[in-house]
Amino acid sequence: MDVAKKIIPVLLVSFLGMVFCYAQGKKKSKGDDLFFQYEYQKAIYAYEAEMASGTLTEQQFLNLADSYFQTNKFEKASEAYLELFKKDTLMGGHHLNKMLQSLSKTANKERRTAFMTTMSSRFQKELLENMEFNVQLLQNDAAEPGMDYRIFNLMGNSPQTDFAPAFYKNQLLFSSGRVQTKRNTYAPGNEGYFNIYQSQLGADGQISSVQPFREVTDSDYHKATPFYSEELSSILYVLSNTENGNLAFDTNGKNALAIGKQAIGGSFQLLLKDLSTSFYYPFYDGASGKLYFSANFDGGYGGTDLYFVYTNNGQIMSAPINLGPRVNSPGNEIAPFVFENSFYFASDVFYGLGGMDIYKSNMEGDGFGIPINLGKGINSPDDDFGLIMRNEGEGLLGYFASNRPGGKGKDDLYGFKVDEKPGLKTLTFKGKVVKSVAGSGTVDKAVIRLMDTDGELLAETYSDEEGNYRLEIPWKEEVVLESTKERYSVFSKQFTEEELQKLENTTYDIGIALYDDLVEEKEGQKVVKLKKFFFDKNDVKLTAEIEAELDKVVAFAKNFPSAQLRIETYTDSRGGSSTNFRLTQARSDAIKRYLIQQGVPQATILYSIGYGEDKILNNCTNGVFCLEMLHQQNQRSLIVVLNDNVLFDY
């Protein structure tokens, strides 16, 4: 079964089929009528006949491309989408995703890669990062054995559509299109309106005693995708919009799905309703009070996106908030589920294994990590969606829906047991790149790299306008983190496994130094920026004040190890000339010894020179009376950067 026949569409297939019969409007062609009734194969025959005898509009040609896609004629679909793409009309992100899916399902994967390379500017940065990560991940998954999933088809499946499992105390709820009475059938799905069913759970994970769930308000139309919230003691689910017991339509003749909350043993409350917007798959996170769901709002990233609203004990307290491009794609995202700080959902984004695949994203405060395809086993070349799980014994028990071969119906429920939480463990570095010296501030456009201990690049990114960065890779026991920017120092640190474990779910700020913050122009040469310091009279001993300033030189040499330094020391004109030369030379040598003791390589300090009173800066020469403050202007030590003019030549 294709995506357009499940809850984004399975639920829509029914009433959208009726919608276009119900709505009054512009006369359509035979192909249009069949297309909007989801009779895709018949629509193909009609559109092709109309194309042979005349010209299809661009919208009708797009409908033909979609019909090819829905009937698994991916070669023809890709060619039609590409033809439309060349005209640069009608092809939004959602149809670009279908085009790329079509290319992936044919022998044209290289063509897809070439297309992505040339058109990368049209895609969100996060989408490209997600794609690169998952392509590499699935290649590794194909080469290595995955997790040991013990997957089984549920005996309670029917020949119709069964999907959207949910735990309810010691039972399993799910949605089904199984026919109960002729009154509850509809076209074109040729099955019953979706209803919620309950079943007993056995110790082996199988279900029994399947019967309609009586805790929700009765309806002649759709009730589906239940979620039981223990905190709210309520069932959340989607239902057809109705008025006075009949389907309710918007001004365009469209019927959509709402989200309702049924208190167990209590009253019903409508939570989210818009006659022109369908809502799907509610999930209430009791820890945060957020109600997650899928919806097809205008202005999203693709078909259906994932959203949340803040609630107060289940009462809606905010407008819907899109989860953003790290989670949402040009495709369809549905079925959110939170388990142990991981966010699971299904997506038909083009770089997966098949139609709908299940992904896991680490929850990072209000953000999300890269969604990770769960790989073979849970996912297949067909549609897999609606995953739930819980701890059971020494492992995990979970369920999902799939239309993979070997099932009993259109979509079947599957159970699985596994020893550990599904999803590859990843390593995430995130935080800010900041200036490490000369005051606070962030650094934008700095490169950040993760490498293995052999120097092989694992991932690379750049900090944004506010200095933020984020890198995520499959788990490594040891990595090297590096960062730099032109005229900045290079940060480099190797992390052990123990250090990486401590970094989980925390931020890590990277400090790099701007060269121009650390140097200044003095006496016609570039010197390390220091506060002026003085030796005691006729003394060469370094005071604590002097050492504090020299520590800045130590940091400078560490930040810029290629710098070549010369130490210059001067005195005033008082005293004998030869005595002053010896005194300043001893002071320069004392400075050099301290710097080397603090870790500055000896090769970095090319010279340490005492100039005595050779370079007097004012009129305080021999025999001239001057105030002490004027004499002190001539007492100075400079750390000169000899290769300043070539230090950043690459």
Side-chain angles (χ1 to χ4, degrees), residues 236-292:
L236 293 93
Y237 64 103
V238 300
L239 65 160
S240 302
N241 283 324
T242 58
E243 186 175 342
N244 299 322
N246 298 311
L247 289 174
F249 298 86
D250 70 3
T251 54
N252 293 318
K254 177 181 178 181
N255 178 260
L257 296 170
I259 291 179
K261 177 169 73 77
Q262 175 69 59
I264 300 299
S267 60
F268 170 81
Q269 181 183 3
L270 204 55
L271 297 182
L272 292 167
K273 177 181 179 179
D274 181 335
L275 288 181
S276 299
T277 301
S278 282
F279 302 90
Y280 317 96
Y281 283 98
F283 175 87
Y284 179 75
D285 181 21
S288 66
K290 293 178 179 178
L291 172 61
Y292 294 93

Side-chain angles (χ1 to χ4, degrees), residues 28-48:
K28 301 179 179 66
S29 71
K30 182 178 181 181
D32 290 338
D33 290 334
L34 292 166
F35 177 80
F36 291 127
Q37 292 176 31
Y38 296 89
E39 298 285 356
Y40 295 119
Q41 186 56 59
K42 293 179 181 178
I44 290 172
Y45 296 144
Y47 279 136
E48 288 180 340

Side-chain angles (χ1 to χ4, degrees), residues 377-440:
I378 291 291
N379 290 323
S380 72
D382 299 284
D383 293 321
D384 309 284
F385 59 104
L387 178 140
I388 63 169
M389 70 184 118
R390 70 183 184 191
N391 292 303
E392 191 97 349
E394 296 182 356
L396 294 161
L397 170 67
Y399 297 90
F400 64 98
S402 177
N403 65 342
R404 61 188 64 188
K408 299 181 178 68
K410 298 178 180 179
D411 285 310
D412 271 15
L413 295 170
Y414 289 83
F416 68 90
K417 292 187 177 183
V418 69
D419 294 332
E420 55 185 302
K421 190 165 72 172
L424 180 74
K425 183 178 181 181
T426 62
L427 171 61
T428 303
F429 275 91
K430 62 182 184 295
K432 289 182 177 290
V433 182
V434 298
K435 288 185 177 181
S436 60
V437 187
S440 62

Side-chain angles (χ1 to χ4, degrees), residues 588-600:
S588 285
D589 291 341
I591 290 172
K592 179 178 179 179
R593 282 194 299 274
Y594 179 81
L595 295 178
I596 291 172
Q597 289 169 2
Q598 300 307 308
V600 177

Side-chain angles (χ1 to χ4, degrees), residues 105 138 141 151 347 352-359 373-385 400-405 414:
K105 292 174 180 290
L138 292 175
D141 186 54
I151 298 175
S347 173
L353 286 177
M356 279 278 173
D357 280 0
I358 298 169
Y359 292 80
N373 192 297
L374 296 192
K376 293 180 180 178
I378 291 291
N379 290 323
S380 72
D382 299 284
D383 293 321
D384 309 284
F385 59 104
F400 64 98
S402 177
N403 65 342
R404 61 188 64 188
Y414 289 83

